[in-house]
Amino acid sequence: MRQASGKNVVVARSKLTLGPLFFNWPTEKRLDFYSRIADEAEVDVVYLGEVVCSKREVFFEEHLPKVAERLRKSGKEVVLSTLALVTSEREMKAISDRVENGFLIEANDVACLQALNGKPHVIGPFINVFNESARNVFVSNKAKRIVLPVEVPETSISILANTKKVETEVLVFGRQPLSVAMRCYHARANGLNKDGCRIVCGRDPDGLETDTMDGQPILTVNGTQTLSYGYGVLLNELHALKEMGVSHFRLSPQDVDMAAVAKVYRETLDKKIEADEGMAKLKKLTGKVPYINGFYYGREGLSWVEQKKSKTNNKISTRRKK
Amino acid sequence: MKQSATTSCKSDYILFYHRVLIVMHGNLSKFPFTQFAMRVLPASILQKIVDALTHRMRSVHPRLFSNLERLEGATVLIEPCDLPHRFILTFGAGESSLEVAQGDSEDCDATIKGNLSALLDMLEGRIDGDKLFFSRELEISGDTAVVVALRNTLDREEICLLDDVTSLLGPFADPARRAIVLADAFAERIRAYLEERAQKANCACDSLREENEELKKKLATFEARGKRRKAS
Amino acid sequence: MTVSYLELVCPAGTPAALRAAIDAGADTVYCGYRNCTNARNYPGLNFDQDELIEGVEYAHARGRKVLVAINTFPRAGDEKPWHKAVDEAAEAKADAIILADIGVLDYATRHQPHLRRHLSVQASAANAMSVSFYRDRFGVKRVVLPRVLSIEDVAALIEKTGMETEVFAFGSVGPMSEGRCFLSSYMTGLSPTSEGVCAPASHVAYKEEGGCMKSCLGCVTLNQFEKDEPAPYPTPCKGRYITHGEARYLFEEPIGLNAIDLLPQLKAAGVTALKIEGRQRSRAYVAEVVGTFRKALDALAMGSSKSFANDLKNVAEGGRETFGAYKKGWR
């Protein structure tokens, strides 16, 4: 049956990673952001590249090699992320080109695996890996790391991460990606459609708040992508995840001081500060946006399960309307 | 015991039963006399009819009942808007029963409200439950999952209530079925006949009235003549 | 059976619906087992092994086919039900299985190599490269294409891969990339990908508030509408949300997909089969939709160009219809 922990797994120093930027920031803002990450952020791996919409790619594409070089020079591993939903000829070609240019690739659509043809790579969170058999197929296909989908609960992570054959990465900070689509909801929200979108997604650096009819903030729209409204936060769970065999901890860029966020996570991982203290520090960095962690506990993704000292008494709160 | 009461009144039930069936099969609003009958019919007698019907359905559709019993235990209040009675359907966790609801406060998991014809159409798989849902012909409250489970389970069987009910009569099923279908048509014909007669009667009245007027006029003429004669 | 204009693949949520679909002219029906191994795991729906065996016999006796959908993603440590479903579908002599999870595909390829494998829409293979991967790696023979592609995209994919394709012709619009949508579990805690239930009825509630109806999923209000306004089934992607202070159907309107007037274009694009969605709908719906599509396909085979679009309006979601992603303006 299920093994509670990966005690046999020798875990090296836990790696902190910076996921691909989901939002459509202006080029200047991106350049500033990544130079600050290169100089100050205590992250070991940085994922670059557009995941949401190929129409945005053109704006940053030319700067990508320079930014990657800068990050590498400051000792960070650079991984090139790819689109989560690939449909056009042009997008397929872009993927094939990326695979050829020597970077480690994060595959977010199975199309990528066909292009990689057995080259080592990372399986991104947009490819479903929910069970051991699927994981093993990806491993045999030369995946060196698997980023689990946000929906995977603790009970499954403990099984999937319990292996020496592949590294396991889990998203521990940031809005949780819930769906990808062909349709652009950002355009729809502005009375436009995808083909004539005027890149309106660029107006919302942290995504577009989406409320229910009775005024409860519930989702975040980011172009063709839909994310949670709350920030997914698994700071309290870091040590448990480490125990299970998770090797990489992903911070997904939001429009907050990400270098400072990384510091909080690094210190908590290294047990320099307690999780409680980490939570207090994090709260100061993230403003009014609530935290969620329901998926981890196999509950409504939008809920927050309070971590108590006694494990039997986890307090569950599901956010209700204001 | 219930049993003896059932036997002694059996013929009455069957008689009533036929009327209910005609109503169920035809359009209820055409048969105000049966609605009236159901309104005055005591719940205890209706219950016996319901029992006989479910007993019969159980032997015709054993799979329907085993499927119902496989579900999670639940109770559903069924409220036909155009009938004075409500029913409680209990199913799941190894049992299934249909009872006439007594009293107001029924503690059910869900309620289905709608015209009897919509409810029966759903039972017989003629109408899509989803469609009813978005067109709002059926009003569903309480635990929606219970209703979905029930609808899906009913939809697994080809149910024809007319067949099931008439088959209650054993060897007389076929004649009865024919009789009911005939009765349905026959009732329509009687109504048409009566209407025709009434119209005819009206016509007859009119001509009698005319005749009467004519006679009155004639009488008045005679009277006048008589007066004139007396005077002269 | 004569070769059809396009193969008509129809839903069978129950044994009665299977018979109804076949009697109404389906070339093929698809169904699932009564558990979490398929993406329509609703209470009271689906088949047990005896029912499936009977269903396959009924279909085969009439020269039709049965596909078994085993198209959810097993949870870690609990893959047995999916493996059992694959083995039992083979034993029931199903004509093919429809799979989504790479682990289940791998199992089927190794343990039931002779059982034909189709790729479910839940695998979200929306391009020629993905489709080729599944073909090369698992010998997949047919792919059910996601409802996010235009007819031009479909034609290009077929040309590139030479694969048999099955496309949605009638049912929901499904704006999200299926199999990768966590909106329902975000609101209910139950996952369409693992448990096979999107917007489970157990979490759906209708409430009346101040003369208005409110539909809720879990503790989330998905919609508010007037009492007589047609209300879609409350899935997260058919909800009404507020952005910039204005409420709208942000993802998709309450509207049904109906491609019945696009059949010649789909045929020209090289599509093999048409899929009618709706295992959760009644056998009355199945008979009506299948019958109408049968008529349309037969008319096309005879060279007629009669439109059948209006025949199905009253069974479409919200009573309205669209071509969905098949036409580019939809995006």
Side-chain angles (χ1 to χ4, degrees):
Chain A
M1 275 307 292
R2 290 174 184 176
Q3 284 170 297
S5 70
K7 277 182 188 131
N8 302 327
V9 182
V10 182
V11 184
R13 179 178 184 262
S14 300
K15 300 268 173 69
L16 213 49
T17 76
L18 186 75
L21 173 67
F22 289 149
F23 306 100
N24 190 15
W25 292 356
T27 303
E28 278 309 307
K29 188 175 163 88
R30 286 188 202 223
L31 290 172
D32 287 352
F33 174 70
Y34 285 114
S35 28
R36 175 126 198 268
I37 293 296
D39 295 344
E40 298 171 34
E42 298 178 61
V43 294
D44 306 283
V45 183
V46 178
Y47 293 79
L48 292 174
E50 181 59 41
V51 170
V52 177
C53 177
S54 61
K55 285 179 78 174
R56 300 168 174 179
E57 271 174 343
V58 286
F59 304 108
F60 197 64
E61 201 65 15
E62 56 176 306
H63 304 285
L64 213 78
K66 212 168 57 205
V67 172
E69 194 46 41
R70 172 106 193 250
L71 288 163
R72 270 181 178 162
K73 273 192 181 147
S74 59
K76 307 194 189 309
E77 178 188 37
V78 174
V79 183
L80 217 50
S81 292
T82 53
L83 282 181
L85 177 59
V86 177
T87 59
S88 75
E89 195 63 36
R90 186 171 52 80
E91 289 162 353
M92 282 189 281
K93 182 160 187 310
I95 281 188
S96 303
D97 291 349
R98 292 213 159 170
V99 166
E100 293 309 316
N101 73 6
F103 281 101
L104 181 63
I105 295 286
E106 178 185 68
N108 283 314
D109 185 300
V110 171
C112 231
L113 303 183
Q114 185 73 357
L116 283 160
N117 197 22
K119 279 185 195 156
H121 58 274
V122 178
I123 295 286
F126 299 95
I127 290 181
N128 281 350
V129 186
F130 283 105
N131 54 70
E132 311 89 296
S133 295
R135 179 198 64 196
N136 295 344
V137 171
F138 290 119
V139 170
S140 74
N141 200 49
K142 296 278 163 38
K144 63 170 282 206
R145 186 181 312 147
I146 293 175
V147 189
L148 295 177
V150 288
E151 201 196 56
V152 176
E154 169 189 25
T155 45
S156 295
I157 298 173
S158 66
I159 296 168
L160 294 172
N162 187 16
T163 175
K164 288 175 193 167
K165 291 182 285 187
V166 69
E167 298 166 342
T168 307
E169 181 164 336
V170 170
L171 196 149
V172 294
F173 176 83
R175 290 197 153 127
Q176 296 180 328
L178 301 174
S179 79
V180 280
M182 267 307 283
R183 230 180 191 184
C184 180
Y185 305 121
H186 229 116
R188 259 172 89 78
N190 286 279
L192 303 165
N193 68 19
K194 191 182 175 194
D195 294 327
C197 70
R198 298 186 218 151
I199 321 286
V200 284
C201 53
R203 295 178 193 166
D204 301 297
D206 218 31
L208 173 62
E209 178 182 320
T210 302
D211 299 351
T212 64
M213 295 279 281
D214 41 18
Q216 179 193 6
I218 190 82
L219 298 167
T220 303
V221 158
N222 172 38
T224 55
Q225 184 186 43
T226 308
L227 303 125
S228 63
Y229 174 70
Y231 291 156
V233 169
L234 295 181
L235 191 72
N236 285 319
E237 293 77 9
L238 288 181
H239 297 302
L241 285 166
K242 218 162 122 180
E243 277 284 297
M244 292 173 202
V246 173
S247 56
H248 290 64
F249 297 84
R250 172 173 293 198
L251 313 174
S252 189
Q254 297 293 156
D255 195 16
V256 299
D257 186 345
M258 288 304 293
V261 169
K263 189 162 187 284
V264 172
Y265 274 82
R266 186 74 263 168
E267 286 177 355
T268 311
L269 266 176
D270 295 345
K271 296 191 174 166
K272 284 185 187 151
I273 57 173
E274 288 289 317
D276 286 353
E277 197 187 336
M279 284 299 285
K281 284 186 169 178
L282 192 64
K283 275 274 173 206
K284 283 185 192 144
L285 297 167
T286 57
K288 65 166 182 129
V289 180
Y291 295 166
I292 57 171
N293 61 8
F295 279 138
Y296 178 81
Y297 293 101
R299 298 186 49 84
E300 301 91 332
L302 53 70
S303 63
W304 173 255
V305 180
E306 198 75 53
Q307 185 79 359
K308 288 277 176 206
K309 288 283 179 284
S310 62
K311 272 198 170 173
T312 49
N313 194 24
N314 280 348
K315 195 181 143 203
I316 292 149
S317 83
T318 300
R319 292 186 302 110
R320 289 183 187 274
K321 62 186 165 179
K322 291 183 264 193
Chain B
M1 276 281 296
K2 269 186 181 177
Q3 193 56 45
S4 60
T6 315
T7 332
S8 66
C9 303
K10 197 164 186 176
S11 56
D12 287 349
Y13 292 149
I14 290 176
L15 199 68
F16 172 74
Y17 207 51
H18 277 199
R19 290 186 178 170
V20 173
L21 280 175
I22 293 166
V23 171
M24 283 175 159
H25 194 64
N27 184 337
L28 194 77
S29 56
K30 277 189 199 161
F31 300 94
F33 67 92
T34 321
Q35 250 195 335
F36 175 74
M38 284 202 87
R39 210 179 302 277
V40 296
L41 193 76
S44 59
I45 294 184
L46 185 60
Q47 182 63 55
K48 294 201 170 92
I49 297 169
V50 166
D51 286 348
L53 180 59
T54 37
H55 183 76
R56 185 64 214 172
M57 298 256 315
R58 208 177 272 278
S59 63
V60 181
H61 302 287
R63 273 220 288 228
L64 170 64
F65 286 85
S66 66
N67 280 325
L68 278 173
E69 285 158 16
R70 272 164 79 173
L71 299 171
E72 267 182 52
T75 52
V76 177
L77 182 67
I78 298 169
E79 279 196 69
C81 304
D82 39 12
L83 282 190
H85 292 287
R86 298 177 304 157
F87 304 88
I88 297 175
L89 179 66
T90 306
F91 59 85
E95 59 169 329
S96 52
S97 69
L98 182 63
E99 278 166 26
V100 179
Q102 313 223 10
D104 289 335
S105 58
E106 306 295 350
D107 196 19
C108 288
D109 299 305
T111 303
I112 312 178
K113 218 188 225 176
N115 285 333
L116 183 63
S117 59
L119 290 166
L120 288 176
D121 281 352
M122 193 177 98
L123 173 70
E124 298 191 346
R126 271 196 303 276
I127 284 195
D128 184 1
D130 274 18
K131 196 170 96 186
L132 283 175
F133 221 64
F134 24 90
S135 68
R136 314 191 60 77
E137 275 176 53
L138 286 186
E139 220 175 279
I140 292 156
S141 52
D143 187 347
T144 321
V146 167
V147 181
V148 170
L150 172 64
R151 197 206 71 79
N152 288 343
T153 306
L154 287 171
D155 211 46
R156 301 175 75 81
E157 290 285 320
E158 283 103 350
I159 297 170
C160 174
L161 206 56
L162 180 66
D163 285 357
D164 293 342
V165 164
T166 49
S167 64
L168 260 176
L169 303 172
F172 303 108
D174 270 351
R177 198 159 17 240
R178 252 175 277 136
I180 286 169
V181 174
L182 271 176
D184 209 352
F186 196 60
E188 181 56 31
R189 279 168 65 181
I190 288 174
R191 200 185 51 77
Y193 175 74
L194 285 176
E195 258 176 28
E196 197 185 323
R197 283 295 298 269
Q199 258 178 358
K200 274 187 185 160
N202 273 341
C203 290
C205 279
D206 288 349
S207 59
L208 279 174
R209 215 173 287 129
E210 274 167 31
E211 250 170 68
N212 202 13
E213 291 298 308
E214 200 68 19
L215 285 172
K216 271 185 190 165
K217 275 183 198 163
K218 278 182 182 167
L219 193 64
T221 325
F222 282 130
E223 274 176 359
R225 276 184 196 164
K227 276 178 189 172
R228 261 181 263 145
R229 271 182 198 159
K230 266 185 190 174
S232 63
Chain C
M1 204 172 63
T2 53
V3 177
S4 292
Y5 186 83
L6 286 163
E7 182 183 330
L8 187 55
V9 182
C10 304
T14 65
L18 180 143
R19 292 187 289 269
I22 285 175
D23 296 348
D27 296 306
T28 303
V29 292
Y30 63 99
C31 50
Y33 281 115
R34 239 185 142 153
N35 55 30
C36 54
T37 62
N38 81 92
R40 290 287 180 279
N41 179 25
Y42 295 107
L45 216 62
N46 296 318
F47 289 62
D48 59 30
Q49 179 68 347
D50 290 343
E51 289 168 332
L52 183 66
I53 290 170
E54 274 175 38
V56 171
E57 280 167 4
Y58 188 88
H60 286 178
R62 287 156 186 79
R64 322 296 174 84
K65 290 177 183 159
V66 177
L67 316 177
V68 180
I70 307 169
N71 57 348
T72 46
F73 298 80
R75 285 240 198 257
D78 185 29
E79 298 179 53
K80 283 262 160 56
W82 282 261
H83 297 171
K84 185 166 170 252
V86 169
D87 294 336
E88 288 192 344
E91 185 193 296
K93 302 196 165 51
D95 296 280
I97 46 178
I98 309 169
L99 310 175
D101 180 59
I102 282 200
V104 180
L105 273 159
D106 182 57
Y107 177 88
T109 310
R110 285 187 289 110
H111 294 261
Q112 301 293 348
H114 302 299
L115 181 55
R116 192 178 155 94
R117 291 175 291 285
H118 292 183
L119 191 67
S120 168
V121 67
Q122 300 291 324
S124 191
N127 58 71
M129 281 159 77
S130 296
V131 169
S132 306
F133 177 82
Y134 287 104
R135 177 196 61 203
D136 298 350
R137 179 81 200 227
F138 304 109
V140 165
K141 289 280 187 286
R142 177 185 295 185
V143 55
V144 183
L145 293 179
R147 281 171 261 203
V148 297
L149 300 177
S150 67
I151 291 191
E152 293 79 5
D153 293 336
V154 171
L157 186 146
I158 294 168
E159 204 195 325
K160 233 176 165 183
T161 60
M163 280 277 274
E164 269 184 32
T165 56
E166 188 173 307
V167 301
F168 281 90
F170 194 86
S172 286
V173 173
M176 307 303 185
S177 177
E178 283 164 87
R180 303 197 281 178
C181 175
F182 306 139
L183 284 170
S184 182
S185 49
Y186 176 67
M187 297 179 185
T188 69
L190 291 174
S191 156
T193 45
S194 301
E195 269 113 331
V197 203
C198 180
S202 53
H203 289 63
V204 167
Y206 289 91
K207 293 174 194 162
E208 210 180 321
E209 252 183 47
C212 258
M213 290 297 288
K214 224 172 155 182
S215 58
C216 302
L217 184 63
C219 67
V220 179
T221 301
L222 287 188
N223 210 340
Q224 258 177 31
F225 41 89
E226 300 297 317
K227 274 205 96 175
D228 302 326
E229 207 179 325
Y233 189 81
T235 56
C237 60
K238 305 284 167 67
R240 214 171 341 197
Y241 300 93
I242 299 173
T243 50
H244 302 307
E246 198 185 320
R248 68 177 84 230
Y249 287 105
L250 184 61
F251 304 117
E252 186 51 275
E253 322 271 331
I255 194 167
L257 170 71
N258 185 1
I260 201 163
D261 279 353
L262 295 177
L263 302 184
Q265 288 94 315
L266 291 170
K267 167 97 173 154
V271 165
T272 308
L274 298 177
K275 191 179 198 98
I276 310 288
E277 191 214 34
R279 279 191 283 146
Q280 75 282 18
R281 307 283 297 261
S282 72
R283 63 180 197 277
Y285 163 94
V286 168
E288 193 172 344
V289 178
V290 175
T292 307
F293 268 86
R294 182 77 273 154
K295 267 193 282 175
L297 288 169
D298 290 349
L300 281 166
M302 303 286 288
S304 153
S305 57
K306 181 178 181 280
S307 166
F308 288 85
N310 285 323
D311 295 13
L312 291 168
K313 208 153 235 168
N314 63 331
V315 289
E317 194 174 336
R320 293 165 58 214
E321 298 176 328
T322 171
F323 288 142
Y326 290 128
K327 296 280 183 190
K328 279 221 161 121
W330 176 84
R331 311 200 300 198

